[in-house]
């Protein structure tokens, strides 16, 4: 690429961000989200059967995260990102047109597979493309907006679901959800992707795959690129051999897993604190606004010192615990601020992970963090149930805020986010 074209690429991040932001919104703009549990109940499923579906969903994501991450390092990532919402849509179609326990189970397997396809691939594509355009330092800001748009899409879909359900029932809800999945797939195809040639570490630096500057094709004598199994091995080896990568993965898992799990119980916490049923959505809305703000503030937060990020996470732990125990309007604001800081720190931790990866198996390494997050979240659901039976929702929230003190220490000890000459 000439110096002139390199400068042009650096000034055109919108070529990436426009379809990326559309993808992020459409991926979560699913009107079925707030209603699918009701669909299961009306079909006759018991609480135990519904819980088993959630376990199957989580297990599918965990088992497929690393294999699909390695796949995203071998094939074009934007194609996998286009395929993911189509799998999700297919699962929703089974739910709506063939409602039964086994159709719901198949739908969750497809949904879990879709999540695994997108996890790792999206972060790797965005980071690599920004690096190609000379804008790797914008990663946290771009991904912060991306996450915020996802939260905003869920909120918008939830608000629209009520009138659409009243107008056309599950048929209208289902068609709108399937349309969102198809549109999301189309925006996935529109994502730009610039990937440098990958090379096997078994070859020396002089043996890496070379490309012809005129055609962009590999030279005939260039070393072959590593295959699927080798790519997976390289990613696992980097995560195992690099202390910086291991620490970054651990930080991502710790920051992400617990507040995402607690968010599922927020309506139950509000109800147990005496909030009227019709006012519970207002509590959820307050928290959503704070989480959205946290995503938008991720860019500026990425420029903070590691110690400052650690202090914010410690304050978030206190805010989550205090807000849940108060169970009042100021408490919901405190809880929302704590969740917002966690969302912000999630993006900052992801940026730190991307900056720490130097090998070509970027999506594979990133998927390790996703697999760890899903595993910890799944175990936390079971632990939460035990704490709730003994002490109630408010105390359970306070207990699961404690891990953020550990995350604060990890964040404070880590280095400031610095790109490390990444590849692929």
């Amino acid at each position: 690429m000439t110096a002139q074209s390199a400068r042009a690429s650096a000034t055109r991040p919108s070529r990436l961000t426009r379809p990326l932001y559309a993808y992020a919104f459409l991926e979560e703009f699913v009107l079925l989200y707030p209603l699918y549990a009701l669909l299961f109940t009306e079909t006759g499923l018991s609480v135990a059967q519904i819980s088993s579906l959630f376990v199957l969903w989580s297990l599918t994501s965990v088992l497929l995260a690393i294999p699909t991450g390695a796949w995203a390092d071998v094939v074009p990532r934007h194609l996998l990102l286009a395929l993911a919402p189509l799998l999700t849509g297919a699962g929703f179609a089974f739910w709506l047109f063939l409602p039964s326990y086994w159709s719901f189970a198949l739908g969750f397997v497809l949904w879990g597979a879709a999540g695994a396809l997108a996890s790792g691939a999206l972060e790797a594509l965005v980071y690599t493309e920004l690096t190609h355009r000379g804008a790797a330092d914008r990663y946290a800001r771009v991904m912060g907006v991306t996450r915020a748009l996802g939260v905003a899409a869920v909120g918008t879909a939830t608000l629209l679901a009520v009138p659409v359900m009243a107008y056309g029932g599950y048929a209208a809800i289902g068609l709108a959800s399937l349309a969102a999945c198809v549109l999301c797939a189309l925006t996935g195809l529109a994502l730009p992707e610039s990937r440098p040639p990958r090379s096997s570490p078994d070859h020396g630096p002089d043996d890496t795959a070379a490309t012809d500057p005129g055609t962009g094709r590999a030279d005939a004598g260039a070393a072959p690129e590593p295959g699927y199994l080798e790519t997976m091995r390289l990613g696992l080896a980097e995560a195992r051999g690099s202390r910086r990568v291991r620490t970054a993965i651990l930080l991502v898992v710790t920051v992400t897993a617990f507040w995402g799990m607690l968010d599922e119980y927020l309506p139950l916490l509000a109800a147990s604190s005496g909030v009227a049923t019709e006012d519970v959505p207002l509590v959820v809305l307050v928290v959503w606004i704070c989480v959205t703000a946290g995503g938008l503030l991720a860019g500026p937060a990425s420029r903070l010192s590691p110690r400052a990020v650690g202090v914010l996470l410690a304050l978030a732990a206190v805010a989550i615990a205090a807000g849940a125990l108060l169970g009042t309007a100021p408490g919901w604001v405190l809880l929302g601020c704590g969740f917002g800081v966690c969302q912000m720190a999630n993006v900052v931790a992801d940026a730190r992970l991307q900056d720490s990866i130097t090998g070509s198996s970027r999506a594979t390494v990133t998927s390790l963090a996703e697999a760890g997050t899903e595993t910890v979240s799944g175990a936390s659901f079971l632990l939460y149930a035990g704490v709730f039976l003994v002490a109630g929702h408010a105390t359970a929230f306070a207990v699961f805020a404690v891990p953020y003190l550990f995350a604060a220490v990890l964040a404070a000890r880590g280095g400031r986010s610095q790109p490390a000459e990444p590849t692929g």
Side-chain angles (χ1 to χ4, degrees), residues 20-29 122 139-157 259 285 287-300 339-340 342-348 350:
L20 173 66
Y21 293 161
Y23 186 93
F25 187 87
L26 290 167
E27 184 182 29
E28 301 295 342
F29 186 66
L122 180 67
Y139 177 80
R141 184 175 70 182
V142 169
M143 290 305 295
V145 174
T146 300
R147 303 305 182 202
L149 284 170
V151 175
V154 172
T156 304
W259 81 269
L285 179 62
V287 175
W288 276 347
I289 291 173
C290 293
V291 172
T292 303
L296 295 176
L297 291 172
F339 277 11
C342 292
Q343 172 78 308
M344 178 189 71
N346 179 20
V347 178
V348 172
D350 174 40

Side-chain angles (χ1 to χ4, degrees), residues 25-383:
F25 187 87
L26 290 167
E27 184 182 29
E28 301 295 342
F29 186 66
V30 177
L31 273 62
L32 190 59
Y33 281 176
L35 296 170
Y36 65 77
L38 181 60
L39 172 64
F40 298 163
T41 302
E42 292 181 359
T43 306
L45 269 63
S46 66
V47 173
Q49 287 176 313
I50 294 174
S51 298
S52 71
L53 292 175
F54 289 146
V55 172
L56 179 63
W57 185 21
S58 180
L59 184 62
T60 301
S61 298
V62 171
L63 293 178
L64 294 182
I66 297 174
T68 55
W71 195 18
D73 284 322
V74 176
V75 303
R77 292 164 182 153
H78 73 283
L79 296 182
L80 298 185
L81 292 171
L83 175 61
L86 295 179
L87 290 180
T88 302
F92 293 161
F94 278 110
W95 291 0
L96 293 162
F97 300 121
L98 297 170
S100 70
Y101 176 82
W102 294 110
S103 291
F104 297 148
L106 177 58
F108 270 118
V109 169
L110 291 172
W111 196 358
L117 280 176
S119 70
L122 180 67
E123 292 85 354
L125 183 148
V126 173
Y127 191 88
T128 303
E129 187 64 22
L130 286 174
T131 301
H132 172 73
R133 295 170 182 274
D137 59 327
R138 302 187 190 184
Y139 177 80
R141 184 175 70 182
V142 169
M143 290 305 295
V145 174
T146 300
R147 303 305 182 202
L149 284 170
V151 175
V154 172
T156 304
T158 300
L159 293 175
L160 288 176
V162 175
V164 172
M165 182 69 175
Y167 175 77
Y170 284 115
I173 291 289
L175 289 175
S177 300
L178 292 176
C181 292
V182 172
L183 290 174
C184 184
L186 293 176
T187 58
L189 291 176
L191 289 167
E193 184 170 6
S194 304
R195 296 176 67 170
R198 301 179 302 113
S199 59
S200 170
D202 294 333
H203 301 280
D206 294 332
D207 296 326
T208 56
T211 57
D212 185 287
T215 65
R217 298 174 180 171
D219 291 342
E225 293 185 348
Y228 173 79
L229 294 178
E230 177 69 3
T231 296
M232 184 185 296
R233 187 190 69 79
L234 292 175
L236 296 176
E238 180 168 9
R240 183 174 60 251
S242 171
R243 181 179 180 182
R244 187 183 178 197
V245 172
R246 289 199 309 272
T247 302
I249 290 175
L250 182 59
L251 180 60
V252 170
V253 172
T254 307
V255 168
T256 308
F258 298 102
W259 81 269
M261 179 274 297
L262 291 176
D263 182 58
E264 299 294 333
Y265 293 100
L266 180 59
L268 300 179
L269 170 67
S272 70
S273 300
V275 177
T277 302
E278 61 270 18
D279 293 332
V280 168
L282 295 178
V283 173
V284 176
L285 179 62
V286 168
V287 175
W288 276 347
I289 291 173
C290 293
V291 172
T292 303
L296 295 176
L297 291 172
S302 67
R303 296 190 289 272
L304 295 175
S305 67
R307 180 172 297 180
V309 175
V311 169
L312 287 175
L313 277 171
L315 291 174
V318 175
I320 292 170
L325 292 171
L326 284 173
T328 60
W332 305 132
V333 174
L334 271 177
L335 181 62
C337 290
F339 277 11
V341 170
C342 292
Q343 172 78 308
M344 178 189 71
N346 179 20
V347 178
V348 172
D350 174 40
R352 187 179 294 182
L353 172 60
Q354 297 304 321
D355 288 339
S356 70
I357 300 171
T358 58
S360 60
S361 300
R362 178 172 300 279
T364 306
V365 177
T366 305
S367 67
L368 284 168
E370 177 66 20
T373 299
E374 289 289 340
T375 301
V376 173
S377 292
S380 297
F381 279 115
L382 299 176
L383 293 174

Side-chain angles (χ1 to χ4, degrees), residues 385-404:
V387 176
F388 163 71
L389 290 175
V390 174
H393 286 294
T395 301
F397 266 66
V399 168
F400 280 93
V402 173
Y404 285 101

